[in-house]
Amino acid sequence: MIGIDIASVNRIKRMYEKFGIKAYEKFLSQEEIELIKKPETAAGFWAAKEAASKALGTGIGASCAFHDIKISKTKLGAPKLKYKKKIRKKFNIKKSHISITHDEGFAIAVVTLEK
């Protein structure tokens, strides 16, 4: 399974400017928020969670919410993806892989799943 998403850095930046930390809390855990140093990272995390839900074949919604997906970083700074246990079981996920990039005002993420 594969999922891809693109997010506008400016849209995420404006959302944060308007709503502050509440904007990030809508789609990120406290641990994820602590990783955000610039709007590009936040947009990348948004795209990553959207891509992760699309890889399941559902998109963000009742079957898989933003907070059912966690993003962290390896010691080298590469993104890591983890689904909550209920999602892993429901969709029989064995392994996940993620890549996030940003350039010229956009962030893009690709997620692949092994079942």
Side-chain angles (χ1 to χ4, degrees), residues 1-101:
M1 304 291 290
I2 188 168
I4 187 169
D5 194 71
I6 184 169
S8 163
V9 173
N10 283 334
R11 181 172 60 95
I12 300 299
K13 184 177 178 181
R14 285 191 313 270
M15 200 169 73
Y16 182 79
E17 288 169 349
K18 185 173 182 178
F19 299 106
I21 198 72
K22 294 258 186 236
Y24 287 170
E25 290 171 344
K26 175 182 177 181
F27 68 100
L28 298 172
S29 69
Q30 188 57 45
E31 294 84 13
E32 292 166 320
I33 291 170
E34 290 172 12
L35 296 173
I36 306 297
K37 304 295 185 239
K38 53 189 177 179
E40 290 84 357
T41 305
F45 282 16
W46 179 285
K49 289 189 177 201
E50 288 279 2
S53 68
K54 290 174 183 178
L56 296 174
T58 66
I60 293 293
S63 296
C64 181
F66 280 118
H67 290 282
D68 289 329
I69 304 164
K70 294 263 185 174
I71 300 167
S72 60
K73 295 198 174 191
T74 67
K75 290 179 184 180
L76 297 176
K80 282 176 40 174
L81 180 70
K82 186 174 182 180
Y83 293 90
K84 281 190 174 178
K85 189 175 185 177
K86 68 177 185 174
I87 299 296
R88 287 194 323 267
K89 283 187 172 193
K90 181 177 182 178
F91 293 95
N92 195 30
I93 301 167
K94 301 294 183 218
K95 229 177 187 184
S96 60
H97 308 276
I98 184 168
S99 181
I100 304 171
T101 190

